[in-house]
Amino acid sequence: MLGALPGAAQERVKITWFVGLGTGTNEQQIEVQNRIVEEFNASQDKIELVINIAASNQTAPDILSTLIASGDAPDIVGPVGFSGSNAFAGQWLDLAPLIEATGYDLGQFPENLVESYRSLDGEQLLGLPFAVFPGVLYYNVGLFDEAGLNYPPTEAGVPYVMPDGTEVPWDYNTVVEIGKILTVDANGYDATMPEFDPTKTIQFGFIHQWDTLRSDFHTFGANYVVDEEGKVHIWDNWREAARWLWEAVWVHHIHPSDSWISSDLLLGNAFNSGNVAMARSMLWYTCCLADAPAWDLAVQPAYNGTIYAPIDMDTFRIHKDTKHPEEAFTVLTYLLGDAALDLLTVYGGYPARPELQDAAIQAKAETYPSVQNWDVVARSIQYAPVPHHEEWYPNFNKGQTRFQDFLTLLRSDGGADIDLEAELDRLEADLQAIVDEVQ
């Protein structure tokens, strides 16, 4: 008789949610996530959501690997970015059939963000947009005023007005020109002057703040690392991006080398130090501007007339071996829907859904009253290039390390003397060997 009783809790389908590959492990986040689980479980009687939070971001990959290997993979994993997801490539469920079956509205998200989650062959949709961190340009208001320069544009296609009144395209060539005016040495000479001494720089014009080489490359246009035949490419536009950066560091001296970045002048957080005039980064960099003098936002510069603003994105994934894909999708849409604003707030993310974006910006505006151009953030989403700059390729983690080794070489103290084209050829060859190890 007892077995026939309607024990509601036992009849629920249990869905597990694993947290830790990305953010979500600090005390405040745990409290909000636990509340979200309680609210979901109280909202209906068919699913029991159970959360499993790793002790830290460092331990989470091993824990998830163990769960998968033991046949006990969680149903949902996240929030997690592209890089964290790529460490478990091949483990994620294609959401397209569930979206079609339920009529889930993809139109609520910007199309380019949805496309970023498609598989390399375009046939699978492996995630949905949740938290985004658009690529923007930060600029130091006081340093522009001191140099008598106009501020960078806040809209694509608007020219930059030079001090003599001439209008020029807002692109990376213009960044060099005004960057040299904004780069100053201890004797008061700027980098346009023959007397300028780069060994005594006290102020730089520009930095790719806390960048990766692939995000730098994608500011000059996006592409896949590996083509359909398995061949690695360092595309011509990526070579131009590398050339631009090398000259910015070693010829024009507007971008600090790694030694300068870690120096007492820039303290490892260059733009925040107040001694760099412009920084290309993503919106997450607002995390770390507590000491920065008054700053504002502009659109990123264009390359050959087009703005390519790499964007970082976090979301939740469903594991391919889930025994309950429909119920897992119900939970996923809850996290992206009713629970989204609370989770985005505690994660510090910017909503992919436009109707939530005003509330997210209001919180940042209260923290940074000097910023007038918050509308640049939403506008920059449309400039996010596809494919994503952390798009997967075979032997991803090892390949990413090789990319970063190149960036370190370029900006190291010996970077001025490298044969850049030869090093780019070597990078391409090394990446091909890395990819071939697992082909």
Side-chain angles (χ1 to χ4, degrees), residues 234 236 238-240 242-243 406 418-428:
I234 301 299
D236 288 346
W238 292 358
R239 289 172 181 267
E240 288 189 45
R243 172 67 60 183
F406 177 88
I418 65 173
D419 181 334
L420 185 64
E421 287 302 319
E423 291 297 338
L424 286 166
D425 290 342
R426 194 191 318 276
L427 171 64
E428 189 174 58

Side-chain angles (χ1 to χ4, degrees), residues 21 33 67 89 103 230 247 259 262 286 289 303 306 308 322 341 396:
L21 275 192
Q33 289 164 162
L67 289 171
E247 292 182 349
S259 289
S262 59
T286 55
L289 292 168
Y303 166 72
T306 300
Y308 302 99
T322 177
L341 192 55
F396 178 82

Side-chain angles (χ1 to χ4, degrees), residues 240-251:
E240 288 189 45
R243 172 67 60 183
W244 185 92
L245 177 57
W246 184 85
E247 292 182 349
V249 176
W250 300 113
V251 178

Side-chain angles (χ1 to χ4, degrees), residues 148-151 153 158-170 174 177-178 181:
L149 290 170
N150 292 301
Y151 303 139
V158 174
Y160 182 78
V161 181
M162 298 295 286
D164 64 1
T166 58
E167 294 185 351
V168 295
W170 177 236
T174 300
E177 295 308 308
I178 66 173
I181 297 171

Side-chain angles (χ1 to χ4, degrees), residues 25-324:
T25 59
N26 75 39
E27 186 175 345
Q28 184 182 10
Q29 292 169 333
I30 291 171
E31 180 181 342
V32 172
Q33 289 164 162
N34 285 336
R35 177 171 57 79
I36 294 294
V37 170
E38 291 176 6
E39 291 174 353
F40 175 82
N41 287 334
S43 71
Q44 47 74 57
D45 58 5
K46 294 182 173 57
I47 302 171
E48 180 188 3
L49 180 58
V50 177
I51 192 167
N52 177 7
I53 304 174
S56 71
N57 178 261
Q58 289 71 38
T59 61
D62 287 342
I63 294 171
L64 182 58
S65 295
T66 301
L67 289 171
I68 293 173
S70 64
D72 193 25
D75 300 282
I76 293 179
V77 176
V80 59
F82 272 83
S83 188
S85 297
N86 287 341
F88 294 89
Q91 296 293 323
W92 310 121
L93 186 72
D94 177 17
L95 302 179
L98 293 164
I99 290 168
E100 182 176 358
T102 61
Y104 188 74
D105 179 20
L106 291 181
Q108 62 187 300
F109 306 111
E111 183 178 358
N112 61 329
L113 301 188
V114 174
E115 292 304 306
S116 295
Y117 284 107
R118 291 207 180 276
S119 58
L120 291 177
D121 59 12
E123 295 182 357
Q124 295 184 321
L125 188 60
L126 302 173
L128 291 170
F130 170 62
V132 298
F133 305 90
V136 293
L137 185 84
Y138 298 78
Y139 66 89
N140 183 311
V141 173
L143 296 185
F144 270 77
D145 289 344
E146 186 176 290
L149 290 170
N150 292 301
Y151 303 139
T154 59
E155 295 185 33
V158 174
Y160 182 78
V161 181
M162 298 295 286
D164 64 1
T166 58
E167 294 185 351
V168 295
W170 177 236
D171 59 18
Y172 281 94
N173 294 325
T174 300
V175 168
V176 170
E177 295 308 308
I178 66 173
K180 288 192 287 189
I181 297 171
L182 290 160
T183 300
V184 180
D185 71 14
N187 297 315
Y189 298 115
D190 70 48
T192 69
M193 302 173 177
E195 298 90 346
F196 173 75
D197 183 351
T199 67
K200 297 180 179 178
T201 304
I202 59 170
Q203 176 181 307
F204 288 89
F206 176 87
I207 188 171
H208 285 303
Q209 179 77 41
W210 291 343
D211 54 338
T212 66
L213 183 63
R214 287 185 71 193
S215 73
D216 294 348
F217 279 176
H218 278 223
T219 62
F220 278 47
N223 213 325
Y224 294 100
V225 174
V226 182
D227 67 18
E228 294 178 348
E229 283 74 42
K231 184 177 181 181
V232 170
H233 296 273
I234 301 299
W235 305 93
D236 288 346
N237 53 312
W238 292 358
R239 289 172 181 267
E240 288 189 45
R243 172 67 60 183
W244 185 92
L245 177 57
W246 184 85
E247 292 182 349
V249 176
W250 300 113
V251 178
H252 308 305
H253 307 292
I254 67 170
H255 190 299
S257 66
D258 281 353
S259 289
W260 274 114
I261 291 171
S262 59
S263 70
D264 291 342
L265 179 71
L266 303 183
L267 300 171
N269 186 357
F271 185 77
N272 183 64
S273 74
N275 296 315
V276 176
M278 295 178 281
R280 179 198 70 80
S281 192
M282 282 76 161
L283 189 64
W284 47 253
Y285 185 50
T286 55
C287 69
C288 307
L289 292 168
D291 301 322
W295 57 273
D296 212 332
L297 296 171
V299 291
Q300 290 191 9
Y303 166 72
N304 282 346
T306 300
I307 294 176
Y308 302 99
I311 189 172
D312 279 341
M313 303 167 64
D314 286 359
T315 194
F316 306 93
R317 309 269 187 159
I318 297 180
H319 193 267
K320 67 180 178 60
D321 293 335
T322 177
K323 296 179 176 62
H324 306 288

